[in-house]
Amino acid sequence: MITAETPLVFDRKRYRDDLLLQMYTALSKPRLIEEKMLVLLRQGKIAKWFSGIGQEAISVGVTMAMNAEEYILPMHRNLGVFTTRNIPLQRLFSQFQGKIGGFTNGRDRSFHFGSQDYKIIGMISHLGPQMGVADGIALAHRLRREHCITAVFTGDGGASEGDFHESINTAAVWDLPVLFIVENNGYGLSTPSNEQFRCASFADKALGYGIEGHSVDGNNVLKVYDTVRQLAESMRQNPRPVLLECVTFRMRGHEEASGIKYVPEDLLAQWAVKDPVKNFERFLIQEGVLTQEYSDDAITRIKQEIDSSLQ
Ligand SMILES: Cc1ncc(C[n+]2csc(CCOP(=O)(O)OP(=O)(O)O)c2C)c(N)n1
């Protein structure tokens, strides 16, 4: 079982330096956008924010491991899916500010939006139902004999909804190539995991559906990337659903207005040590892949892109 105490161990395998550097930039981008959004929220320039700080390695690792033509169905903490699919920040920020240039013409100001151009299906607010949509996409691919997988995200809370059972069971009996990703971040709003489910790991639930299940450290971008890459290759050839639990922690409130007072401080402190961005950066420096100069330059460029896009 993966916990806050499980050390983050990075294994670069045979991945090239340029891929690792690309991963570093992709991982830093959502973090820097989030930090900016928290400032904009205080300034009243955006109205609400669902933070995925501390969970970026999952969105980034999954999206980098998939092909650009494959569909992803993200949730409210998957900013990294949008940034890694290279959606122009100007459009993204227009969406967050409820402007006409966003994806919903001002009808929404958070994450309930998608884009066919980027093969991202917008989150369904009641959470569970989007897993069934992923089944539908995967079925279409199968009927057209296309070798594509579909990745759908849910949280540990969303996984308590009936749709979780229905969609995984259907995918199992119809051999639908859906990667069901459960981001287990310890809380569903204020409900802790021990009041949400009894299994040690979501991978155990796969057994009940007769499908393959895995559990990885969701703060380890390399592990997420490597696991999804291998699974995706195999699922494209041999269509079937797979359940992947990514263990992580929600470092901020459910959304910024509700706060995080109900989360024990020592738990937050433990998980802060496992920060996915800082630890990956440290690893790359130790490996001699990343230099301070490269990092400074990359961060400056992202910040400039954020500022100019906001303007
Ligand atoms: C049916 C329904 N109930 C409640 C909500 C409000 N809501 C949105 S996300 C969420 C928490 C979901 O928890 P989890 O799936 O663990 O994801 P997390 O927020 O922890 O990332 C809640 C209660 C909703 N959108 N739909």
Side-chain angles (χ1 to χ4, degrees):
M1 203 171 103
I2 297 157
T3 66
E5 274 133 39
T6 314
L8 263 183
V9 181
F10 293 101
D11 177 3
R12 67 174 293 178
K13 296 197 165 172
R14 296 173 63 152
Y15 292 122
R16 291 164 40 151
D17 286 5
D18 55 350
L19 180 102
L20 299 182
L21 290 171
Q22 187 194 339
M23 201 175 268
Y24 170 70
T25 310
L27 193 60
S28 302
K29 199 168 180 178
R31 172 65 58 90
L32 292 169
I33 293 175
E34 287 242 22
E35 287 172 354
K36 188 66 162 190
M37 290 301 143
L38 294 178
V39 174
L40 294 188
L41 188 68
R42 283 196 291 273
Q43 294 174 341
K45 292 183 178 166
I46 57 168
K48 65 198 299 195
W49 188 250
F50 292 89
S51 177
I53 284 184
Q55 302 184 205
E56 298 94 336
I58 304 168
S59 301
V60 172
V62 168
T63 310
M64 280 188 70
M66 290 180 63
N67 293 336
E69 71 273 12
E70 290 175 322
Y71 278 95
I72 305 182
L73 294 84
M75 290 258 293
H76 50 293
R77 286 185 219 289
N78 300 116
L79 175 63
V81 169
F82 298 90
T83 54
T84 308
R85 281 261 157 114
N86 288 318
I87 289 194
L89 296 190
Q90 189 189 331
R91 287 210 71 196
L92 208 52
F93 297 161
S94 298
Q95 174 67 28
F96 296 148
Q97 293 193 311
K99 292 190 171 173
I100 195 85
F103 291 90
T104 57
N105 298 326
R107 280 191 217 94
D108 180 76
R109 297 151 298 141
S110 66
F111 284 97
H112 307 95
F113 70 96
S115 163
Q116 282 289 356
D117 292 342
Y118 295 91
K119 299 284 184 277
I120 295 173
I121 300 296
M123 164 189 181
I124 297 178
S125 184
H126 10 330
L127 316 168
Q130 71 176 1
M131 291 183 265
V133 177
D135 278 3
I137 297 170
L139 177 62
H141 285 313
R142 283 223 66 178
L143 294 175
R144 294 177 191 153
R145 300 186 195 286
E146 293 161 345
H147 296 280
C148 287
I149 73 154
T150 300
V152 60
F153 287 88
T154 189
D156 43 286
S160 293
E161 292 188 319
D163 301 75
F164 178 82
H165 163 75
E166 294 177 35
S167 56
I168 296 184
N169 192 59
T170 302
V173 292
W174 288 359
D175 293 323
L176 303 177
V178 179
L179 184 62
F180 292 95
I181 302 160
V182 180
E183 269 185 275
N184 183 357
N185 65 3
Y187 281 82
L189 216 158
S190 57
T191 306
S193 290
N194 63 356
E195 292 177 29
Q196 190 78 246
F197 53 89
R198 284 280 177 256
C199 54
S201 160
F202 274 91
D204 295 346
K205 294 206 181 200
L207 199 65
Y209 296 104
I211 68 168
E212 194 179 327
H214 300 271
S215 183
V216 295
D217 197 322
N219 285 28
N220 185 335
V221 69
L222 258 174
K223 183 70 187 172
V224 174
Y225 173 79
D226 185 54
T227 303
V228 175
R229 218 179 75 108
Q230 288 189 44
L231 285 175
E233 269 173 23
S234 161
M235 289 161 71
R236 283 179 203 120
Q237 294 318 313
N238 172 20
R240 65 190 191 283
V242 173
L243 183 60
L244 176 66
E245 176 188 55
C246 296
V247 182
T248 184
F249 201 71
R250 202 193 66 204
M251 299 301 290
R252 300 188 65 87
H254 167 66
E255 39 76 45
E256 288 305 310
S258 63
I260 198 162
K261 285 212 178 93
Y262 48 82
V263 179
E265 277 176 19
D266 55 338
L267 207 50
L268 285 165
Q270 279 179 331
W271 279 97
V273 176
K274 278 186 74 161
D275 184 275
V277 184
K278 286 189 204 135
N279 280 285
F280 188 55
E281 184 176 74
R282 202 171 304 138
F283 165 74
L284 291 182
I285 289 171
Q286 277 163 7
E287 280 284 297
V289 175
L290 181 69
T291 60
Q292 194 59 47
E293 201 185 345
Y294 186 98
S295 162
D296 290 347
D297 189 49
I299 302 299
T300 304
R301 272 187 289 116
I302 298 171
K303 283 184 172 171
Q304 280 169 353
E305 187 190 354
I306 293 173
D307 287 340
S308 63
S309 306
L310 266 171
Q311 284 305 320

